[in-house]
């Protein structure tokens, strides 16, 4: 009973946070609401004893992706007026699509279909969700995993290639020239003879003159 109360609490917070992401006016507030939604989703994963997925969600999305989003949103000068244009006009369309999705979920999950999904059994203390997930991922789904990794690698290489395009007037580094650099190309040793500097003349007097323009006297009167 207690677990169900906790689940419905986190589920309600998740729904409210998701709704605030698309309804608040300030983009920074929307990003913070999305962070709350990620944390709540991680808590629900913990209730399902999927610790690895919960920690990965917090570390990857909250710790990296959302920090980048907040940095970009706070650095850009976003004009909120054009973003809000047409909100009332498209609101009925959005509500209609949301109702259709809700009806589809009720049709798919309603009735006795929920009884087909049993409550996960509690595992012993030495159970490792990470080990079980790795054993399934690298045995049953090893080929889809490798294909996904290749697709991500191609996307990374394509993004780097697009950013390294040569443009006129653009300055950039050339690693191929930097690795071939020699000391003779960068350093030049110059031999200069020593120059004897003359004594510094005091203002208003000759060399060796005392301050005030009077010549220095040897001894005393």
């Amino acid at each position: 009973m207690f677990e169900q109360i906790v689940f419905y609490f986190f589920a309600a917070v998740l729904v409210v946070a998701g709704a605030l992401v698309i309804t608040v006016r300030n983009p920074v507030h929307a990003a913070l609401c999305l962070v709350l939604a990620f944390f709540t989703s991680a808590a629900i994963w913990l209730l399902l004893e999927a610790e690895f997925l919960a920690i990965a969600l917090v570390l990857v999305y909250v710790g990296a992706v959302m920090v980048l989003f907040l940095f970009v949103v706070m650095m850009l000068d976003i004009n909120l007026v054009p973003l809000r244009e047409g909100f009332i006009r498209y609101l009925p369309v959005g509500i209609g699509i949301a109702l259709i999705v809700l009806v589809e979920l009720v049709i798919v999950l309603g009735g006795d279909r929920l009884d087909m999904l049993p409550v996960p059994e509690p595992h012993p203390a030495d159970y490792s969700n990470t080990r079980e997930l790795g054993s399934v991922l690298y045995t049953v789904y090893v080929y889809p995993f490798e294909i996904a990794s290749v697709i991500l690698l191609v996307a990374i290489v394509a993004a780097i290639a697009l950013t390294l395009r040569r443009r006129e007037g653009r300055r950039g580094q050339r690693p191929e020239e930097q690795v071939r650099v020699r000391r003779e190309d960068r350093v030049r040793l110059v031999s200069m003879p020593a120059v004897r500097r003359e004594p510094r003349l005091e203002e208003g007097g000759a060399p060796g003159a005392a301050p005030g323009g009077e010549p220095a006297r040897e001894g005393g009167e």
Side-chain angles (χ1 to χ4, degrees):
M1 183 64 181
F2 176 74
E3 293 183 358
Q4 293 181 356
I5 295 175
V6 174
F7 170 78
Y8 285 116
F9 171 76
F10 283 123
V13 174
L14 178 59
V15 172
V16 173
L20 290 177
V21 171
I22 60 175
T23 55
V24 294
R25 296 179 177 273
N26 195 329
V28 179
H29 295 169
L32 293 177
C33 292
L34 188 57
V35 170
L36 177 60
F38 285 151
F39 270 109
T40 310
S41 301
I44 295 177
W45 281 114
L46 288 176
L47 291 177
L48 296 176
E49 297 185 3
E51 296 84 5
F52 177 80
L53 297 178
I55 299 301
L57 181 63
V58 173
L59 293 180
V60 175
Y61 286 92
V62 179
V65 177
M66 287 311 305
V67 172
L68 178 62
F69 284 175
L70 284 175
F71 179 77
V72 173
V73 169
M74 295 177 67
M75 290 296 294
L76 295 179
D77 187 12
I78 301 177
N79 188 7
L80 300 178
V81 177
L83 297 178
R84 289 294 172 181
E85 294 179 355
F87 179 78
I88 302 299
R89 181 176 56 185
Y90 295 111
L91 183 60
V93 179
I95 295 176
I97 294 176
L99 292 177
I100 293 174
V101 173
L102 181 61
V103 171
E104 291 177 350
L105 291 176
V106 171
I107 294 175
V108 173
L109 301 177
D112 299 333
R113 291 184 176 85
L114 291 178
D115 298 334
M116 300 173 58
L117 303 175
V119 179
E121 299 179 357
H123 298 284
D126 58 348
Y127 174 78
S128 176
N129 175 256
T130 306
R131 181 175 57 195
E132 294 294 332
L133 183 62
S135 63
V136 174
L137 186 63
Y138 292 107
T139 55
V140 181
Y141 300 100
V142 60
Y143 291 111
F145 179 78
E146 294 295 336
I147 294 174
S149 62
V150 172
I151 292 175
L152 292 177
L153 179 60
V154 171
I156 293 174
V157 174
I160 296 175
L162 290 176
T163 57
L164 291 180
R165 290 182 299 175
R166 302 298 180 186
R167 301 176 183 176
E168 296 182 358
R170 178 179 176 270
R171 296 181 179 180
Q173 296 182 350
R174 295 184 177 180
E176 66 277 3
E177 296 181 359
Q178 293 177 351
V179 297
R180 293 198 304 264
V181 68
R182 299 180 303 171
R183 185 187 65 175
E184 293 79 7
D185 301 333
R186 299 296 183 181
V187 180
R188 184 178 62 178
L189 300 179
V190 179
S191 178
M192 298 180 62
V195 179
R196 184 175 180 275
R197 301 183 59 181
E198 296 294 336
R200 184 176 181 182
L201 298 178
E202 298 292 339
E203 185 178 358
E214 297 181 358
R217 297 179 180 179
E218 296 182 1
E221 294 181 357

